[in-house]
Amino acid sequence: MKISVTLNGTPYEWDTQPGETLLSVLRREGFFGAKYGGCEHGECGACAVLLDGKTVNSCSILAAQADGHQIVTIEGLGQNPDQGWKKTSGLHPIQQAFIETGAIQCGYCTPAMVLAAKALLDRNPNPDETAVRDALSGVLCRCTGYVKPVEAVLRAAALLRGEQVPPLSAAPDISPTDWASGKDVKDRSEGLDESIPSGPSQAGTQTRVVPHIWTTPQTKNLSTVGQPEPKVDAVKLVQGKPAFTDDIEMRGMLVAKVLHSPVAHARIKNIDTSRAKDLPGVAAVLTWQDIPRVVYSTAGQSDPIPGPLDTFSLDSKVRFVGDRVAFVAAETEEIAEKAIGLIDVEYEPLPAILNPAEAMQAGAPVIHDEAEYVNFADSDPSKNLAAAIRINIGDVDKGFQEADRIFEADYEVPKVQQAHIEPHVVITFWDENDRLVIRTSTQVPFHVRRQLAPVLGLPIKRIRVIKPRIGGGFGGKQEVLIEDVAAHLTIATGRPVRFEYTREEEFIAARSRHPMRIHMKTGVKLDGTITANEMYALADTGAYGCHALTVTGNTGHKAMAIYVGDGEFRKSPNIRFYADIVYTNLPPSGAFRGYGVPQGFWAVERHMETIARALGIDSIQFRMKNAVRSGELHPFSTAWSEGRAPVPEIIHTVGLEQCVVQGKAEIGWDQKYRNPDWHIVPGKPHLRKGIGIATVMQGTAIAYLDMGGASIKMNDDGSFNLLIGATDLGTGSDTVLGQMAAEVLGVPLDDILVYSSDTDFTPFDKGAYASSTTYISGAAVVKAAEQVAERIQKRAAAMLSVEGQPAIDPEDIVLEDRKAIAPDGRSVTLSQVGHNALHQTNQEQIMAVASHVSKSSPPPFAAQFAEVTVDTQTGQVVVDKLVMAVDSGVIVNPVTASGQIEGGMTQALGYVVCEEMRYDDAGRALERDLVDYHIFRADEMPELVTMFIETYEPSHPFGVKAVAEIPMDGVAPAVGNAILDACGAELMQNPATPERVWAAIQKK
Amino acid sequence: MILEYLRPKNMDEAIAYLQRENPKTVPLGGGTLLSRSQPFDCAVVDLQALGLDGITQTGNKVRIGSTTTLQTIVDSDLLSPGLRHAAIRETGRNLRESVTIGGVVASGKGQSTFLTALLAADATLVWEPGEKRVALGDWLPVRNEFPGVLIRALEIPENIQIAGEYVGKTPVDRPFLCTAVAKWPSGRMRAAIGGGEEHPVLIIDGTEKDDLEVAAKNAYSHLGKYEVKSEYLQELLKTLLHRIVQQELSK
């Protein structure tokens, strides 16, 4: 049927099918700004467009319904103002505000948010924050925590009303002082606040986009590092440009679908694909009988993979509901789905293990009985043991003997989903050289290439992996999860193949955070000194052992490292960490931001709170008395590392104490804690308020193992191409790496053209995980930039030298303001240098490649505070405020870094309040969409406050440590402790569902 | 699979389409359900050209057209704040702009806050052809037995107060227990609860607060399969209904 619409002011007539959605037609017609979130009920809102001025989800209406109506997509708003000889009116003020406020992270939901904001401001030019949050409530964002998008809309509203708003990019006056030495502390955000006009007409622009930062002296002369630079990719993302994996069309492209197992554990006795193959439009059907049987691991990690090899692309056995049975490629999605339904499979059911506690019992069914299984370390498939960890530091038994009291308790944490809004998606095709191109939304392009080569029967050199823009990953895309499906089908058919998970597949057949049952045993003196600390974790890796060892290793390596004891015990801590990581017939666990550490801190920080209260000691004093301090050995560094031999490591910078001081002040701890009046809500006796804290640490990269590379090439206008293998999955890493290069080369960030990542063109990088990009890849960028700078200095010195006068020492040339400046003040522009190098004198391409492996993994630290209100009659918990004070070393970009903290806190908020993946007694997932599995919306968020307490980490050229993962660690225990403070309920298991809290209240 | 899309210009035309047996032909409101892949082949009749949207007051009744969106409910001054809040609580903004009340009535589950509030309000459905009227409470248990082929409108009393209490994991998470109470100037009071069952259920239509407390004690038997323990659920029901009456409707 034909429909006529007016789209972005232009009339269109399209042929559509009666059942085709508007989203499908828009994307087919090249309007890629409307994104697909895989959802079945329109719950994510990434596909939003304006229909007659109202925000609607284009996946949730038929294209035919739009016939005769006006549609606005993101392509109809502003555009880049400067397009060569053609000038445009530029970006829409809403788009501009999204860029300026740092409201864009992965950018996948950004077009939808911008359109929702436009609909709001068209009908209400002067909205309050509640109205803005309501307008954004239909668009789920997993990255930002909504802080900056809300600020962006308020700012845009003011701009559109014609009001003056202060430039957010203007850097405040920084007068660095050393807080650690007790001197004055300078808050970078103070300057901004003073510049913001006040008064009723300015409502909505009083923004805190730039967080509080207490700076270090070492940053005083930096011009780009430390500044809230707009993200280098923001302009394209805010316009909805086709930047993501699926924003591409290829002639003859097939659609792939996977038949998933309906049973938890079975052998495939027979599989008949004849009816599916006979269906017109089906290009290929593959089962385990059709492809080589190559054992591998889907965990995207450096070689050798620190875990068992226990996975096949397709197998004759299924191990969980959702496991793969067959692949189909067809001309259309409908045909592919129909073909899936025509595959006849006869299963021989096997007993299933759905409870990890039963996995190692005698007589338990063996999940991995395949001959090809490759052990790693202590894995033992005959016992369903994917990995085991036994770490003893000091003399733990003696420590317990020396304790006055011993506290033991059991804790439990659930399986949760990364829920990135862009699903897993891949497109594969043969290029003109018969090399297989894999265009995929991955955090680990180089690992994809290496790990899939044997699986596909191709040498590494015949595979090219392109990582376009990623719509969020959070560890879920550190998995080589679906690339092989499309690749096998391209090999089988010779045609391009596209495969994208639905939201349901994300729940039943992707990876998740490891659920754990944790036992804590802690010995203490009556003065609060910890004499010994012991944790046992039983982790459920599900049907496959991807990340089994390393995730759970980090549970102890980070969470059990923060408290070493005091006095003699501080000098020789007594710590034990044992773990068994077992197979079950549930969907596999894997990497999820925080990587095992949030699980550990739920137990450790809830346990410490209980101990402090039982001893009658202030819980913050108790923590600080026992916490690790700068100059001390990381206690685990002598005992364990991720797949490599441990190397003792000193922790040089610990800003934890100051984080506690500043965080306490921000949340008003001293006015609230132990203040009975504060804990009540007048007129509502069933409500009780509570306040809680957790102190946490993470790691920064993996020492001696992970490597990042960078190359920088100078152009003849003085700009630079920065090519990096690092993968920006919305974190802003392209931007901060560009800032480091710009700082060294003396140019604005605009002059650094950042490209990531393509295994053919960019240097190797381990990928985006382990909080490593700013630290590892950043150091590589700095090294490459320094080499390029050296070449520029030499050439500039020659250009500035005057015959008959002493030659200028290149080392005396300063690169600044796009110039190479001699000590006498004379200068040449970098444009002149670039032109000279390429065209005039001793021609050469000024470029450099560098790489970096760290010898240390400096931990960031944080104090996390939470305020809650508990309904003691229903058990419902409302989190009112989260404050996080973070020591992440020097902050390269306060806006992107605070965005990381806000988004991380929000994910962690879901972990403690509402997120949980559950299964029925046949192993079937109960949560299969973002309706049943609720993630936080804009209109229900607590107040979020981020503070950075800078230390200067000596192992990095700019003093940085990691930011990305630490916000996942403290929210859950801080909220748990706040619930305890509010109503005395001891919550041992998260999330804090109303029923669990109510039950805990009854137990008091 | 949707085989045919139809957009009739008047009610007679729509009724004629909807009375076809082959292919199965169903009404299309906002499209949020039918735009999904269907397990059966069907034709859809888009109601957008029939003028069934809008809210009007006639005498002591408020009439809500069946293609009125949830967001229109939220924005209407003619409706009780409790009903508007129930509409806000139903879903996020984007879907509220598309989801129609006809769609909610036809397919809303037990966790629908808006359907629970409508049931408490003793809403009446107006069916075509023939403007047949049936009480929502009578129709919900036999939802597949249509008294007509198309819902034209809902009518609710104008002079009632409606209040609801919901418990979910977060402030806007889909609640696992919804309660709503409507109160008439005469003292009549109706309470409905929703949660794990197929649709919300009425637990009392009486006049006294005491009746409500008795109903709260007995309400548990009305509820279907629940994920939470019965002891907790019973306590919760008692608490929520008590709160509505004591705190909301006594204001």
Side-chain angles (χ1 to χ4, degrees):
Chain A
M1 60 180 292
K2 281 198 185 306
I3 65 168
S4 300
V5 300
T6 302
L7 191 144
N8 302 328
T10 303
Y12 287 88
E13 193 168 87
W14 292 324
D15 279 318
T16 73
Q17 297 299 313
E20 199 170 7
T21 64
L22 180 58
L23 174 65
S24 166
V25 174
L26 287 172
R27 291 186 63 81
R28 195 183 66 209
E29 295 295 326
F31 297 93
F32 289 113
K35 305 299 183 192
Y36 171 68
C39 49
E40 259 297 298
H41 307 286
E43 62 264 30
C44 88
C47 62
V49 299
L50 302 187
L51 186 71
D52 296 336
K54 292 179 177 173
T55 319
V56 300
N57 292 341
S58 60
C59 77
S60 300
I61 63 169
L62 301 175
Q65 288 178 266
D67 186 26
H69 293 274
Q70 304 267 344
I71 301 170
V72 175
T73 65
I74 193 69
E75 289 85 356
L77 270 72
Q79 50 187 310
N80 195 321
D82 188 355
Q83 298 181 347
W85 52 263
K86 180 182 164 191
K87 307 298 174 196
T88 77
S89 54
L91 294 173
H92 189 282
I94 298 173
Q95 293 172 306
Q96 196 59 46
F98 266 67
I99 294 172
E100 289 171 356
T101 57
I104 303 163
Q105 284 197 27
C106 83
Y108 201 72
C109 70
T110 300
M113 282 203 176
V114 169
L115 290 169
K118 183 173 188 312
L120 168 70
L121 300 184
D122 284 349
R123 66 176 179 267
N124 177 8
N126 195 9
D128 60 14
E129 184 171 331
T130 303
V132 173
R133 288 185 177 277
D134 177 67
L136 299 181
S137 68
V139 184
L140 293 177
C141 175
R142 193 62 159 166
C143 296
T144 64
Y146 306 101
V147 175
K148 291 176 170 67
V150 168
E151 294 289 354
V153 180
L154 292 168
R155 182 175 176 83
L159 282 166
L160 288 165
R161 290 193 301 267
E163 296 166 10
Q164 266 200 322
V165 294
L168 288 174
S169 55
D173 179 31
I174 301 170
S175 303
T177 51
D178 186 358
W179 57 259
S181 66
K183 294 177 188 169
D184 288 345
V185 169
K186 180 68 182 174
D187 178 354
R188 279 189 198 171
S189 65
E190 283 173 9
L192 278 183
D193 281 347
E194 287 160 11
S195 69
I196 297 171
S198 59
S201 66
Q202 300 297 334
T205 63
Q206 309 255 348
T207 173
R208 276 274 180 190
V209 168
V210 182
H212 300 276
I213 303 178
W214 278 264
T215 61
T216 62
Q218 290 92 333
T219 57
K220 65 180 178 182
N221 293 323
L222 303 180
S223 57
T224 307
V225 167
Q227 301 305 314
E229 299 277 0
K231 288 179 69 171
V232 294
D233 42 15
V235 172
K236 74 178 172 197
L237 294 172
V238 85
Q239 294 178 87
K241 290 284 175 96
F244 295 88
T245 297
D246 195 35
D247 297 346
I248 186 176
E249 282 188 322
M250 298 194 76
R251 187 168 293 182
M253 186 152 66
L254 297 165
V255 178
K257 286 283 170 188
V258 169
L259 174 64
H260 297 282
S261 169
V263 293
H265 197 193
R267 291 195 191 284
I268 297 173
K269 280 179 75 176
N270 188 36
I271 185 162
D272 181 357
T273 60
S274 55
R275 288 196 302 146
K277 284 178 175 166
D278 288 345
L279 187 70
V282 171
V285 182
L286 299 178
T287 72
W288 67 275
Q289 294 158 315
D290 300 310
I291 58 175
R293 186 172 170 82
V294 179
V295 71
Y296 73 115
S297 168
T298 59
Q301 294 179 303
S302 294
D303 186 66
I305 299 281
L309 305 186
D310 58 8
T311 305
F312 304 90
S313 275
L314 286 165
D315 196 1
S316 56
K317 189 180 185 189
V318 289
R319 298 177 179 84
F320 67 98
V321 176
D323 207 352
R324 299 153 160 206
V325 176
F327 306 154
V328 167
E331 300 293 340
T332 69
E333 190 163 345
E334 281 194 339
I335 295 171
E337 278 175 356
K338 200 165 183 180
I340 287 289
L342 293 175
I343 299 171
D344 299 309
V345 188
E346 188 182 349
Y347 297 99
E348 178 192 341
L350 299 169
I353 302 169
L354 302 177
N355 179 351
E358 295 169 2
M360 293 174 68
Q361 288 178 357
V366 175
I367 295 173
H368 284 280
D369 52 2
E370 65 272 14
E372 297 90 342
Y373 188 100
V374 178
N375 275 300
F376 184 85
D378 296 320
S379 61
D380 182 351
S382 69
K383 296 178 180 169
N384 292 315
L385 189 65
I389 300 168
R390 299 289 184 267
I391 298 171
N392 289 290
I393 299 163
D395 188 337
V396 177
D397 294 332
K398 183 164 173 281
F400 282 127
Q401 286 166 10
E402 290 172 350
D404 293 326
R405 291 186 65 181
I406 292 176
F407 293 84
E408 290 191 71
D410 292 294
Y411 301 88
E412 190 167 349
V413 287
K415 192 175 184 72
V416 290
Q417 238 281 318
Q418 293 88 348
H420 31 79
I421 303 300
E422 180 200 41
H424 286 86
V425 56
V426 60
I427 291 170
T428 54
F429 57 94
W430 289 114
D431 72 7
E432 66 276 18
N433 295 311
D434 287 328
R435 295 176 71 234
L436 186 73
V437 180
I438 302 176
R439 177 182 165 96
T440 180
S441 181
T442 180
Q443 295 172 223
V444 286
F446 287 90
H447 295 337
V448 168
R449 184 177 66 166
R450 185 189 89 250
Q451 292 176 231
L452 277 191
V455 174
L456 301 176
L458 286 167
I460 286 176
K461 67 185 178 185
R462 284 191 62 196
I463 299 175
R464 174 184 175 191
V465 178
I466 300 171
K467 183 252 6 146
R469 184 69 197 180
I470 306 173
F474 316 117
K477 294 174 183 172
Q478 197 198 330
E479 205 73 12
V480 188
L481 187 69
I482 65 168
E483 288 84 356
D484 62 315
V485 177
H488 282 303
L489 289 166
T490 286
I491 291 172
T493 63
R495 291 173 61 179
V497 174
R498 168 187 173 275
F499 183 45
E500 183 166 29
Y501 261 6
T502 63
R503 186 58 59 188
E504 182 178 18
E505 285 175 306
E506 291 290 343
F507 278 95
I508 67 166
R511 304 299 185 246
S512 55
R513 190 180 298 290
H514 289 67
M516 292 187 195
R517 297 173 189 179
I518 296 173
H519 182 77
M520 291 292 304
K521 180 179 176 184
T522 305
V524 287
K525 297 278 191 190
L526 291 177
D527 69 353
T529 301
I530 293 175
T531 61
N533 204 11
E534 178 182 292
M535 173 189 279
Y536 170 76
L538 177 65
D540 179 1
T541 190
Y544 298 98
C546 31
H547 302 274
L549 174 74
T550 44
V551 160
T552 310
N554 271 290
T555 304
H557 187 272
K558 309 302 190 290
M560 289 293 282
I562 192 168
Y563 299 119
V564 292
D566 202 13
E568 289 304 309
F569 298 97
R570 177 177 293 283
K571 291 177 191 163
S572 178
N574 301 313
I575 301 171
R576 176 176 291 150
F577 175 61
Y578 286 5
D580 292 313
I581 303 96
V582 296
Y583 289 113
T584 63
N585 292 109
L586 291 169
S589 306
F592 187 169
R593 191 178 188 178
Y595 208 73
V597 186
Q599 292 98 310
F601 272 117
W602 169 257
V604 168
E605 284 299 289
R606 287 288 299 109
H607 199 58
M608 293 302 145
E609 186 71 21
T610 303
I611 294 170
R613 286 174 181 249
L615 293 176
I617 299 173
D618 179 272
S619 70
I620 292 179
Q621 285 176 11
F622 173 63
R623 286 175 169 86
M624 291 302 96
K625 178 179 175 63
N626 292 292
V628 70
R629 293 172 188 162
S630 59
E632 293 176 351
L633 202 63
H634 188 305
F636 276 70
S637 67
T638 57
W640 189 83
S641 184
E642 291 189 45
R644 293 285 170 100
V647 179
E649 183 181 340
I650 298 291
I651 300 175
H652 294 289
T653 53
V654 180
L656 184 59
E657 198 166 337
Q658 192 65 12
C659 288
V660 168
V661 170
Q662 300 300 337
K664 273 178 73 178
E666 171 63 34
I667 204 160
W669 180 273
D670 291 337
Q671 295 77 42
K672 295 170 181 170
Y673 189 68
R674 290 183 177 160
N675 174 356
D677 291 341
W678 179 79
H679 285 73
I680 59 171
V681 178
K684 297 198 171 176
H686 57 284
L687 297 182
R688 295 278 304 171
K689 291 173 74 66
I691 190 165
I693 183 178
T695 50
V696 295
M697 64 184 273
Q698 256 287 351
T700 302
I702 306 168
Y704 296 100
L705 179 61
D706 282 337
M707 188 272 276
S711 87
I712 299 178
K713 172 171 74 77
M714 188 180 199
N715 299 314
D716 35 14
D717 63 349
S719 67
F720 300 87
N721 293 107
L722 169 60
L723 304 183
I724 42 179
T727 54
D728 186 336
L729 55 153
T731 56
S733 64
D734 282 357
T735 304
V736 298
L737 298 186
Q739 283 180 260
M740 291 188 207
E743 185 69 51
V744 175
L745 295 166
V747 296
L749 181 57
D750 261 4
D751 288 355
I752 306 291
L753 310 171
V754 185
Y755 180 76
S756 69
S757 336
D758 181 329
T759 54
D760 268 13
F761 299 119
T762 58
F764 176 90
D765 193 287
K766 78 282 163 213
Y769 59 86
S771 289
S772 57
T773 303
T774 307
Y775 184 74
I776 293 280
S777 312
V781 167
V782 172
K783 284 181 185 175
E786 285 172 344
Q787 291 174 36
V788 168
E790 197 179 318
R791 302 268 290 276
I792 294 170
Q793 287 167 316
K794 274 187 186 165
R795 184 164 288 268
M799 290 168 74
L800 289 166
S801 291
V802 178
E803 206 172 326
Q805 291 188 10
I808 298 171
D809 185 344
E811 287 187 9
D812 291 336
I813 297 282
V814 173
L815 303 185
E816 198 175 286
D817 293 337
R818 291 176 166 145
K819 292 178 199 157
I821 307 168
D824 61 5
R826 290 180 304 120
S827 66
V828 287
T829 65
L830 294 196
S831 170
Q832 289 170 314
V833 174
H835 193 263
N836 180 273
L838 293 175
H839 304 288
Q840 292 174 333
T841 311
N842 296 326
Q843 288 91 323
E844 62 168 339
Q845 171 64 67
I846 294 180
M847 67 181 298
V849 180
S851 54
H852 184 70
V853 178
S854 178
K855 294 178 181 172
S856 59
S857 173
F861 293 86
Q864 176 71 59
F865 295 85
E867 252 183 57
V868 304
T869 302
V870 180
D871 186 326
T872 57
Q873 292 176 334
T874 67
Q876 192 163 31
V877 175
V878 174
V879 178
D880 301 312
K881 184 171 183 175
L882 295 173
V883 173
M884 190 170 191
V886 191
D887 158 25
S888 285
V890 168
I891 299 301
V892 179
N893 186 322
V895 170
T896 59
S898 58
Q900 287 288 291
I901 300 296
E902 290 152 4
M905 278 198 284
T906 305
Q907 288 179 10
L909 179 62
Y911 189 49
V912 69
V913 173
C914 57
E915 296 184 33
E916 185 173 19
M917 296 169 78
R918 299 166 307 157
Y919 299 87
D920 68 11
D921 54 12
R924 293 175 296 224
L926 296 177
E927 286 78 19
R928 290 168 179 249
D929 57 39
L930 294 174
V931 177
D932 287 333
Y933 188 91
H934 182 76
I935 64 173
F936 266 74
R937 278 184 3 200
D939 57 343
E940 58 175 339
M941 287 297 300
E943 181 184 357
L944 303 179
V945 178
T946 301
M947 314 169 84
F948 289 115
I949 310 299
E950 285 191 346
T951 54
Y952 194 89
E953 169 54 39
S955 62
H956 186 274
F958 286 119
V960 309
K961 296 194 282 187
V963 176
E965 293 185 281
I966 196 165
M968 298 301 303
D969 297 340
V971 172
V975 168
N977 293 338
I979 293 169
L980 175 67
D981 184 60
C983 60
E986 282 278 14
L987 206 63
M988 313 308 277
Q989 182 180 3
N990 73 339
T993 61
E995 185 182 17
R996 285 191 186 125
V997 174
W998 181 84
I1001 292 170
Q1002 308 311 306
K1003 269 191 194 166
K1004 278 197 306 177
Chain B
M1 184 175 179
I2 294 174
L3 305 172
E4 193 177 8
Y5 170 88
L6 304 158
R7 192 188 292 183
K9 292 188 175 58
N10 58 56
M11 183 60 79
D12 290 343
E13 198 183 342
I15 297 294
Y17 282 135
L18 289 168
Q19 286 177 328
R20 297 190 312 186
E21 288 185 359
N22 192 19
K24 178 182 168 71
T25 304
V26 294
L28 174 77
T32 52
L33 289 176
L34 287 173
S35 61
R36 304 293 155 187
S37 58
Q38 300 299 319
F40 51 86
D41 288 344
C42 65
V44 295
V45 176
D46 189 342
L47 309 177
Q48 66 172 273
L50 302 185
L52 299 183
D53 55 333
I55 303 168
T56 54
Q57 185 177 344
T58 311
N60 61 357
K61 286 182 181 168
V62 176
R63 186 177 169 110
I64 309 170
S66 64
T67 60
T68 304
T69 64
L70 285 174
Q71 187 57 41
T72 306
I73 301 283
V74 173
D75 294 337
S76 173
D77 293 335
L78 289 173
L79 297 169
S80 126
L83 194 61
R84 293 162 62 187
H85 180 67
I88 290 178
R89 194 66 174 73
E90 188 80 13
T91 185
R93 177 88 193 200
N94 295 11
L95 287 175
R96 291 204 306 267
E97 296 280 19
S98 298
V99 171
T100 62
I101 63 154
V104 174
V105 167
S107 61
K109 303 291 184 195
Q111 290 167 310
S112 167
T113 53
F114 187 64
L115 195 54
T116 305
L118 284 178
L119 183 59
D122 200 12
T124 299
L125 301 182
V126 181
W127 284 85
E128 291 293 345
E131 290 236 357
K132 293 185 192 117
R133 282 173 165 71
V134 58
L136 177 65
D138 293 338
W139 179 71
L140 276 177
V142 290
R143 195 153 39 172
N144 293 328
E145 297 172 24
F146 302 154
V149 297
L150 176 66
I151 300 170
R152 172 183 273 275
L154 271 92
E155 291 176 345
I156 57 171
E158 174 271 335
N159 56 351
I160 56 172
Q161 281 179 274
I162 302 173
E165 286 274 343
Y166 318 105
V167 180
K169 287 174 281 189
T170 79
V172 304
D173 181 27
R174 193 169 60 179
F176 58 85
L177 183 62
C178 320
T179 56
V181 177
K183 187 179 164 191
W184 277 252
S186 64
R188 181 189 176 197
M189 199 177 288
R190 275 171 65 95
I193 58 173
E197 67 286 359
E198 266 302 292
H199 56 80
V201 292
L202 184 72
I203 58 165
I204 187 74
D205 188 346
T207 55
E208 301 293 333
K209 286 182 185 173
D210 292 346
D211 295 341
L212 196 60
E213 289 187 9
V214 173
K217 283 181 190 164
N218 297 330
Y220 179 69
S221 62
H222 291 276
L223 293 168
K225 188 181 173 189
Y226 257 84
E227 288 163 8
V228 297
K229 290 198 174 83
S230 60
E231 179 195 5
Y232 171 58
L233 196 58
Q234 288 185 39
E235 192 65 28
L236 208 54
L237 270 171
K238 198 168 69 181
T239 300
L240 297 190
L241 290 170
H242 179 78
R243 274 190 203 170
I244 294 175
V245 174
Q246 295 301 317
Q247 294 166 24
E248 301 298 325
L249 297 181
S250 60
K251 282 177 186 168

